[in-house]
Amino acid sequence: MAVAQKVDVSHPDASGLTIAPADGPFGAVVRGVDLRRPLDTETAGRIRVALVTRGVVAFPDQKLDDDDLERFSLTFGPFGDDPYIRPIPGRAHIAAIRRRANETAPLFAENWHSDWSFLEISPAFTCLYGIDIPPVGGDTWFANQQMAYDRMPDALRARLEGVVAVHSARGGYAPKGQYGEKDVGRSMDIVSSEDAMSTQRHPLVRAHPETGRRAIFSTHGYIIALENCENGDALLREVVKWQTPEEVVYRHKWRPNMLVIWDNRVVLHRATGGYDGHDRLLHRTTIADRRTDAAR
């Protein structure tokens, strides 16, 4: 297992690249790089180390088009699957995360989750690029699940060894789910399907394939049961209490032309509102986990 080195979050290198801590308990902000151009191997490597060790990396002031977004994404791995959101016209791997100024449908992705954890191998990373960003509200919250796991009592961590979580998209994307047949007036192009009733099993606690740090994987938004334990429902409720306290949450504030990438194996995330009366549009890609044993 490869172990990532500690990232330098203080001084620029000879190229002018700087990686500084974000305004929170984790996360990083990268400046001094133009993402309209391909990343050289050394720069991409430094960014990846920051990503897998800090969980979330933001790039302010990047005027990107969709070609740039796709090229940047492919630097970190092949495109992942987006099974329930149609891509934008002319693209196979970019989804529009959109909300109109007058939209009244419930906020999309407001519950804590790790993207598509119900897949056999879920995305390693997600990229989100801000195009129309309201002047107020719309923060994305991240919760570091390595930090959450480390804060747990030893006795609770011991109870989680060997526990398997059953994941499913049914609560969101089945025809009777939150974004199913009764979801109307939404500007996002979401597709519900009976396929969402299927399940996948993943260890509740996993070691990160690049750093070796252990973390809780996903949460009750996609976890429908726990196996290999007694009183699984009660145990899941107890775990959830430890997953998102203030001490492990970074509240990311968006600006136009900002790109953010995060590691789904490290963090949960959720959307927030507070921007009624304003259009909001971001373009998103997911990046597949190249390790076939990622969920082991």
Side-chain angles (χ1 to χ4, degrees), residues 232-251:
D233 289 345
L235 180 58
L236 182 57
R237 288 194 297 270
E238 186 170 357
V239 169
V240 167
K241 293 177 183 178
W242 289 89
Q243 287 190 277
T244 58
E246 183 177 352
E247 293 80 2
V248 306
V249 172
Y250 161 48
R251 303 180 183 187

Side-chain angles (χ1 to χ4, degrees), residues 132-138 254-256 274-276 278-282:
D132 293 333
I133 301 298
V136 294
W254 286 92
R255 297 291 182 269
Y275 53 90
D276 290 349
H278 299 279
D279 288 332
R280 187 172 186 265
L281 173 65
L282 304 96

Side-chain angles (χ1 to χ4, degrees), residues 112-238:
W112 288 107
H113 64 286
S114 176
D115 279 337
W116 305 150
S117 70
F118 49 80
L119 297 177
E120 180 180 2
I121 300 179
S122 53
F125 309 120
T126 299
C127 289
L128 200 57
Y129 178 66
I131 299 172
D132 293 333
I133 301 298
V136 294
D139 296 352
T140 300
W141 292 15
F142 297 94
N144 189 307
Q145 297 306 284
Q146 295 170 342
M147 296 171 64
Y149 178 76
D150 290 346
R151 288 169 52 86
M152 285 180 167
D154 291 344
L156 178 55
R157 287 201 299 264
R159 291 172 61 195
L160 303 184
E161 290 302 311
V163 173
V164 173
V166 182
H167 296 242
S168 176
R170 64 187 60 180
Y173 299 100
K176 303 300 182 183
Q178 181 177 0
Y179 306 117
E181 298 165 349
K182 296 182 179 181
D183 187 47
V184 297
R186 186 177 299 279
S187 55
M188 282 186 60
D189 199 354
I190 297 176
V191 184
S192 64
S193 170
E194 289 290 350
D195 292 345
M197 296 301 295
S198 64
T199 59
Q200 285 289 340
R201 287 162 171 79
H202 301 294
L204 182 61
V205 176
R206 308 192 309 178
H208 193 286
E210 297 179 59
T211 69
R213 287 191 64 184
R214 296 177 70 73
I216 310 161
F217 180 57
S218 198
T219 190
H220 61 82
Y222 289 142
I223 295 175
I224 61 173
L226 296 183
E227 297 179 341
N228 293 2
C229 64
E230 296 182 359
N231 301 318
D233 289 345
L235 180 58
L236 182 57
R237 288 194 297 270
E238 186 170 357

